[in-house]
Amino acid sequence: MLTILIVDDEQEELEGISFLIDKLGFQLCKAFANNGEQALKYLAEHKVDILFTDIRMPRMDGLELIKLAKKEKPDLKMIIYSGYADFAYAQSAINLEVSEYILKPIKVEEFEQSLRRVMERVKRTELEHELYSKTARYAQNHLLYKALNHSDSLSEADAKLLEDFDICYTKLFLLEFDQSFFDIISFRFEDWIAEAIPYPFDYLNLNVSQCLLLFRGDERDMHRSCYEIAVELHDRIEGDLGYTCYIALSSEGNGSTNLSERFAQLERLMEY
């Protein structure tokens, strides 16, 4: 559910906007602030999708609030409502990329249309971020496959992308199952591992029976040895899931240049 933060120094206005949102059937989580300082504090501590603010308020006006909020949350969608049909205010709102400008007294139809448009923009932005994230993840995985298998033949462009993705793994875990595990299971194994071991890692599904975990931090960051983590993961897989699993651990490393060497080491270990 999307969250809207409503900011006004008059309680009657806050209650009126809240009433309208409920009356029109918008499914929104509502939060309230009486001035810009309260609003900024709330924004710093909570996820907010839409900022709905009056312009004239004590301590900090709505335009200053928007300017500061935009620096902290660039994707925040903003609606201004004001009793002043002033060109200077409207021009400032345009410069600050305010989504909608509503005049008081608020007309119900105008309010409904403005809020609906802004909610659509929020959802569109979320979809764009999701698409970008998936595209970036696909590109990163593609580069990892190349680095694992053909690191000597990486182009300069690929090497630069590896740097941009900050691909610098200190330890690799190769997991191998004695059957076509990934054709059998009906859940995302990556998500299951993330719950089983509370340490950040990247994940590559190699084939129907193998996957690779790539860790960035060293054992001091994890407060446990990689061997202990591997043993715990092995026991959880066999105990909780009931599948036979083998785990090989790579030597320590500190970059992407020797990924293929360490991966080859893991494959040799699996042959024993």
Side-chain angles (χ1 to χ4, degrees), residues 8-148:
D8 199 304
D9 60 315
E10 296 183 18
Q11 187 63 31
E12 185 178 343
E13 294 284 0
L14 293 176
E15 292 173 358
I17 298 299
S18 178
F19 173 79
L20 267 182
I21 290 172
D22 292 340
K23 180 179 176 61
L24 293 170
F26 286 110
Q27 298 298 309
L28 289 167
C29 178
K30 294 172 293 183
F32 306 94
N34 295 115
N35 56 62
E37 291 178 357
Q38 283 185 11
L40 286 176
K41 187 174 186 300
Y42 188 90
L43 285 166
E45 298 172 354
H46 301 84
K47 179 183 180 296
V48 175
D49 302 291
I50 302 168
L51 176 63
F52 192 104
T53 182
D54 190 10
I55 287 184
R56 289 289 186 92
M57 295 182 294
R59 298 187 183 181
M60 181 187 300
D61 67 25
L63 294 176
E64 182 66 19
L65 166 61
I66 286 172
K67 189 185 300 180
L68 294 174
K70 193 73 175 175
K71 289 181 180 178
E72 297 299 321
K73 297 180 180 290
D75 290 330
L76 185 65
K77 307 304 179 193
M78 295 161 293
I79 303 173
I80 280 180
Y81 71 116
S82 172
Y84 299 90
D86 189 301
F87 176 77
Y89 282 137
Q91 186 64 45
S92 296
I94 291 171
N95 293 337
L96 290 170
E97 299 179 351
V98 169
S99 302
E100 299 283 338
Y101 192 111
I102 301 175
L103 287 175
K104 296 179 184 180
I106 292 176
K107 297 177 181 177
V108 175
E109 184 178 351
E110 180 186 3
F111 175 84
E112 180 179 13
Q113 291 175 354
S114 293
L115 190 51
R116 198 173 300 283
R117 283 194 296 267
V118 172
M119 290 175 67
E120 286 299 320
R121 291 189 189 112
V122 172
K123 292 173 183 175
R124 195 181 312 128
T125 299
E126 289 179 344
L127 286 173
E128 288 171 356
H129 284 320
E130 183 179 350
L131 178 60
Y132 176 81
S133 178
K134 287 181 178 179
T135 303
R137 179 67 183 273
Y138 175 82
Q140 177 176 320
N141 286 352
H142 178 68
L143 281 173
L144 278 175
Y145 280 118
K146 293 179 71 173
L148 289 170

Side-chain angles (χ1 to χ4, degrees), residues 239-253:
D240 296 352
L241 301 181
Y243 290 94
T244 300
C245 175
Y246 307 95
I247 302 179
L249 282 64
S250 74
S251 58
E252 293 288 338

